[in-house]
Coordinates of all heavy atoms in Angstrom, one line a residue:
H74 N 10.7 -8.0 3.5 CA 9.4 -7.8 3.0 C 8.4 -7.2 4.0 O 7.5 -6.6 3.6 CB 8.9 -9.0 2.3 CG 8.3 -8.8 0.9 ND1 9.1 -8.4 -0.2 CD2 7.1 -8.8 0.5 CE1 8.4 -8.3 -1.2 NE2 7.1 -8.5 -0.9
T75 N 8.7 -7.5 5.3 CA 7.9 -6.8 6.3 C 7.9 -5.4 6.3 O 7.0 -4.7 6.6 CB 8.3 -7.3 7.7 OG1 8.6 -8.7 7.6 CG2 7.2 -7.1 8.7
F76 N 9.1 -4.7 5.9 CA 9.2 -3.4 5.8 C 8.4 -2.8 4.6 O 7.7 -1.7 4.6 CB 10.7 -2.9 5.6 CG 11.6 -3.1 6.9 CD1 12.1 -4.3 7.1 CD2 11.8 -2.0 7.7 CE1 12.9 -4.5 8.2 CE2 12.6 -2.2 8.8 CZ 13.1 -3.5 9.1
R77 N 8.4 -3.6 3.5 CA 7.6 -3.2 2.3 C 6.1 -3.1 2.6 O 5.5 -2.1 2.3 CB 7.9 -4.2 1.2 CG 7.1 -4.0 -0.1 CD 7.5 -5.0 -1.1 NE 6.7 -5.0 -2.3 CZ 6.8 -4.2 -3.4 NH1 7.7 -3.2 -3.3 NH2 6.0 -4.3 -4.4
H78 N 5.7 -4.2 3.3 CA 4.2 -4.1 3.7 C 3.9 -3.0 4.7 O 2.9 -2.3 4.5 CB 3.8 -5.5 4.5 CG 3.9 -6.6 3.6 ND1 3.6 -6.7 2.3 CD2 4.3 -7.9 3.9 CE1 3.7 -7.9 1.7 NE2 4.1 -8.7 2.8
G79 N 4.9 -2.7 5.6 CA 4.7 -1.6 6.5 C 4.7 -0.3 5.9 O 3.9 0.6 6.2
H80 N 5.5 -0.1 4.9 CA 5.5 1.1 4.1 C 4.2 1.4 3.5 O 3.7 2.6 3.5 CB 6.7 1.0 3.0 CG 6.7 2.2 2.1 ND1 7.2 3.4 2.4 CD2 6.3 2.3 0.8 CE1 7.2 4.2 1.4 NE2 6.6 3.6 0.4
A81 N 3.7 0.5 2.8 CA 2.4 0.6 2.1 C 1.3 0.9 3.1 O 0.5 1.8 2.9 CB 2.0 -0.7 1.4
V82 N 1.2 0.2 4.2 CA 0.2 0.4 5.2 C 0.3 1.8 5.8 O -0.7 2.6 6.0 CB 0.2 -0.6 6.4 CG1 -0.7 -0.2 7.5 CG2 -0.1 -2.0 5.8
H83 N 1.6 2.2 6.1 CA 1.8 3.5 6.6 C 1.3 4.6 5.7 O 0.7 5.7 6.2 CB 3.4 3.7 7.0 CG 3.7 5.0 7.5 ND1 3.4 5.4 8.8 CD2 4.4 6.1 7.0 CE1 3.9 6.6 9.0 NE2 4.5 7.0 7.9
L84 N 1.6 4.5 4.4 CA 1.1 5.5 3.5 C -0.5 5.6 3.5 O -1.0 6.7 3.5 CB 1.5 5.1 2.0 CG 3.1 5.2 1.8 CD1 3.4 4.8 0.3 CD2 3.6 6.6 2.0
I85 N -1.1 4.4 3.5 CA -2.5 4.4 3.5 C -3.1 5.0 4.8 O -4.1 5.8 4.7 CB -3.1 3.0 3.2 CG1 -2.7 2.5 1.8 CG2 -4.6 2.9 3.5 CD1 -3.0 1.1 1.5
E86 N -2.5 4.7 5.9 CA -3.0 5.2 7.1 C -2.8 6.7 7.1 O -3.6 7.4 7.9 CB -2.2 4.6 8.3 CG -2.5 3.2 8.6 CD -1.7 2.7 9.8 OE1 -0.5 3.2 10.0 OE2 -2.1 1.8 10.5
N87 N -1.9 7.3 6.4 CA -1.7 8.7 6.3 C -2.4 9.4 5.1 O -2.1 10.6 4.8 CB -0.2 9.0 6.4 CG 0.4 8.8 7.7 OD1 0.5 9.7 8.5 ND2 1.0 7.7 7.9
G88 N -3.3 8.7 4.6 CA -4.3 9.3 3.6 C -3.7 9.3 2.2 O -4.3 10.1 1.4
V89 N -2.6 8.7 1.9 CA -2.1 8.7 0.5 C -3.0 7.9 -0.4 O -3.5 6.8 0.0 CB -0.6 8.0 0.4 CG1 -0.1 8.0 -1.0 CG2 0.3 8.9 1.3
D90 N -3.4 8.4 -1.6 CA -4.2 7.8 -2.5 C -3.7 6.4 -2.9 O -2.5 6.3 -3.1 CB -4.4 8.6 -3.8 CG -5.3 8.0 -4.8 OD1 -6.5 8.1 -4.7 OD2 -4.7 7.4 -5.8
I91 N -4.6 5.4 -3.0 CA -4.2 4.1 -3.2 C -3.4 3.9 -4.6 O -2.5 3.1 -4.7 CB -5.3 3.1 -3.1 CG1 -4.8 1.6 -3.1 CG2 -6.3 3.3 -4.2 CD1 -5.9 0.7 -2.7
D92 N -3.8 4.7 -5.6 CA -3.2 4.5 -6.9 C -1.7 5.1 -6.8 O -0.8 4.5 -7.4 CB -3.9 5.3 -8.0 CG -3.3 5.0 -9.3 OD1 -3.3 3.8 -9.7 OD2 -2.9 5.9 -10.1
K93 N -1.5 6.0 -5.9 CA -0.1 6.5 -5.7 C 0.7 5.4 -5.0 O 1.9 5.2 -5.2 CB -0.1 7.9 -4.9 CG -0.6 9.0 -5.6 CD -0.6 10.3 -4.8 CE -1.1 11.4 -5.6 NZ -1.1 12.8 -4.8
V94 N 0.1 4.8 -4.0 CA 0.7 3.6 -3.4 C 1.1 2.5 -4.3 O 2.1 1.9 -4.3 CB -0.2 3.1 -2.2 CG1 0.5 1.9 -1.5 CG2 -0.5 4.2 -1.2
R95 N 0.2 2.3 -5.2 CA 0.3 1.3 -6.3 C 1.7 1.6 -7.1 O 2.5 0.7 -7.3 CB -0.8 1.1 -7.2 CG -0.6 0.2 -8.4 CD -1.8 0.2 -9.4 NE -1.7 1.6 -10.2 CZ -0.9 1.8 -11.1 NH1 0.0 0.9 -11.5 NH2 -0.9 3.0 -11.7
R96 N 1.7 2.8 -7.5 CA 2.9 3.2 -8.3 C 4.2 3.2 -7.4 O 5.3 2.9 -7.9 CB 2.7 4.6 -8.9 CG 1.5 4.7 -9.9 CD 1.6 6.0 -10.7 NE 1.5 7.2 -9.9 CZ 0.2 7.8 -9.6 NH1 -0.8 7.2 -10.1 NH2 0.2 8.8 -8.9
Q97 N 4.1 3.6 -6.2 CA 5.2 3.5 -5.3 C 5.7 2.1 -5.2 O 7.0 1.9 -5.2 CB 4.8 4.0 -3.9 CG 5.9 4.2 -3.0 CD 6.6 5.6 -3.0 OE1 6.4 6.3 -4.0 NE2 7.4 5.9 -1.9
L98 N 4.9 1.2 -5.1 CA 5.4 -0.2 -4.9 C 5.7 -0.9 -6.2 O 6.3 -2.0 -6.2 CB 4.2 -1.1 -4.2 CG 3.9 -0.5 -2.8 CD1 2.7 -1.4 -2.2 CD2 5.1 -0.7 -1.9
G99 N 5.2 -0.3 -7.4 CA 5.5 -0.9 -8.6 C 4.5 -2.0 -9.0 O 4.8 -2.9 -9.8
H100 N 3.3 -2.0 -8.4 CA 2.2 -3.0 -8.7 C 1.7 -2.6 -10.1 O 1.4 -1.5 -10.4 CB 1.2 -2.9 -7.7 CG 1.5 -3.6 -6.4 ND1 0.8 -3.3 -5.3 CD2 2.5 -4.4 -6.1 CE1 1.4 -4.0 -4.2 NE2 2.4 -4.6 -4.8
R101 N 1.4 -3.7 -10.9 CA 0.8 -3.5 -12.2 C -0.7 -3.3 -12.0 O -1.3 -2.5 -12.7 CB 1.1 -4.7 -13.1 CG 0.6 -4.5 -14.5 CD 0.8 -5.8 -15.3 NE 1.9 -6.6 -14.9 CZ 2.2 -7.8 -15.4 NH1 1.6 -8.3 -16.4 NH2 3.2 -8.5 -14.9
S102 N -1.3 -4.0 -11.1 CA -2.8 -4.0 -10.9 C -3.1 -3.4 -9.6 O -2.4 -3.6 -8.6 CB -3.3 -5.4 -11.0 OG -4.7 -5.4 -10.6
I103 N -4.2 -2.6 -9.6 CA -4.6 -1.9 -8.3 C -5.0 -3.0 -7.3 O -5.0 -2.8 -6.0 CB -5.8 -0.9 -8.6 CG1 -6.0 -0.1 -7.3 CG2 -7.0 -1.7 -8.9 CD1 -4.8 0.9 -7.0
E104 N -5.5 -4.2 -7.8 CA -5.9 -5.3 -6.8 C -4.8 -5.7 -6.0 O -5.0 -6.1 -4.9 CB -6.5 -6.4 -7.6 CG -7.8 -6.3 -8.3 CD -7.9 -5.3 -9.5 OE1 -6.8 -5.1 -10.0 OE2 -9.0 -4.8 -9.8
S105 N -3.6 -5.8 -6.5 CA -2.5 -6.1 -5.7 C -2.2 -5.2 -4.5 O -1.7 -5.6 -3.4 CB -1.2 -6.2 -6.5 OG -1.3 -7.1 -7.6
T106 N -2.7 -3.9 -4.7 CA -2.4 -2.9 -3.7 C -3.6 -2.9 -2.7 O -3.4 -2.5 -1.5 CB -2.2 -1.5 -4.3 OG1 -1.4 -1.6 -5.4 CG2 -1.6 -0.5 -3.3
Q107 N -4.7 -3.3 -3.2 CA -5.9 -3.3 -2.3 C -5.8 -4.2 -1.0 O -6.5 -3.9 0.0 CB -7.2 -3.8 -3.1 CG -7.7 -3.0 -4.1 CD -8.5 -1.8 -3.6 OE1 -8.7 -1.7 -2.4 NE2 -8.9 -0.9 -4.5
I108 N -4.9 -5.1 -1.0 CA -4.7 -6.0 0.2 C -4.2 -5.1 1.4 O -4.5 -5.5 2.5 CB -3.8 -7.1 0.0 CG1 -2.3 -6.5 -0.3 CG2 -4.2 -8.0 -1.2 CD1 -1.1 -7.5 -0.4
Y109 N -3.7 -4.0 1.2 CA -3.3 -3.1 2.3 C -4.3 -2.3 2.9 O -4.2 -1.8 4.0 CB -2.1 -2.2 1.9 CG -0.9 -3.0 1.3 CD1 -0.5 -3.0 0.0 CD2 -0.1 -3.7 2.2 CE1 0.6 -3.7 -0.5 CE2 1.0 -4.4 1.8 CZ 1.3 -4.4 0.4 OH 2.4 -5.0 0.0
V110 N -5.4 -2.1 2.2 CA -6.4 -1.2 2.7 C -7.1 -1.8 3.9 O -7.4 -1.1 4.9 CB -7.6 -1.0 1.6 CG1 -8.7 -0.2 2.2 CG2 -6.9 -0.3 0.3
G111 N -7.4 -3.1 3.9 CA -8.0 -3.7 5.2 C -7.1 -4.1 6.2 O -7.5 -4.6 7.2
S112 N -5.8 -3.8 6.0 CA -4.8 -4.3 7.0 C -4.5 -3.1 8.0 O -3.8 -3.5 9.0 CB -3.5 -4.7 6.3 OG -3.8 -5.7 5.4
T113 N -4.9 -1.9 7.8 CA -4.5 -0.9 8.7 C -5.3 -1.0 10.0 O -6.5 -1.3 10.0 CB -4.9 0.5 8.1 OG1 -6.2 0.5 7.7 CG2 -4.0 0.8 6.8
D114 N -4.6 -1.0 11.1 CA -5.3 -1.2 12.4 C -4.5 -0.3 13.4 O -3.5 -0.8 13.9 CB -5.2 -2.7 12.7 CG -5.9 -3.0 14.1 OD1 -6.4 -2.1 14.8 OD2 -6.1 -4.2 14.4
P115 N -5.0 0.8 13.8 CA -4.3 1.7 14.8 C -3.9 1.0 16.1 O -3.0 1.5 16.8 CB -5.3 2.8 15.0 CG -6.2 2.8 13.8 CD -6.3 1.4 13.4
A116 N -4.7 -0.1 16.5 CA -4.5 -0.7 17.8 C -3.3 -1.6 17.7 O -2.9 -2.2 18.8 CB -5.7 -1.5 18.2

């Protein structure tokens, strides 16, 4: 599951729209995908 989280963060870091990320992961609600927005950290 660490790869799943990394996939989502990687997409967001590269500017992919969050709704596209939601569909990629198969989330029903956008709220489930929002957790990845604040997790990106280039450092």
Side-chain angles (χ1 to χ4, degrees):
H74 226 66
T75 318
F76 289 86
R77 177 174 170 84
H78 294 324
H80 174 76
V82 171
H83 181 70
L84 291 179
I85 291 173
E86 285 180 334
N87 283 274
V89 177
D90 179 77
I91 190 168
D92 191 56
K93 290 183 179 179
V94 178
R95 178 190 67 80
R96 294 196 298 271
Q97 186 88 344
L98 297 177
H100 288 161
R101 187 183 333 178
S102 170
I103 195 70
E104 282 74 21
S105 300
T106 318
Q107 288 282 359
I108 63 172
Y109 298 109
V110 175
S112 298
T113 57
D114 184 354

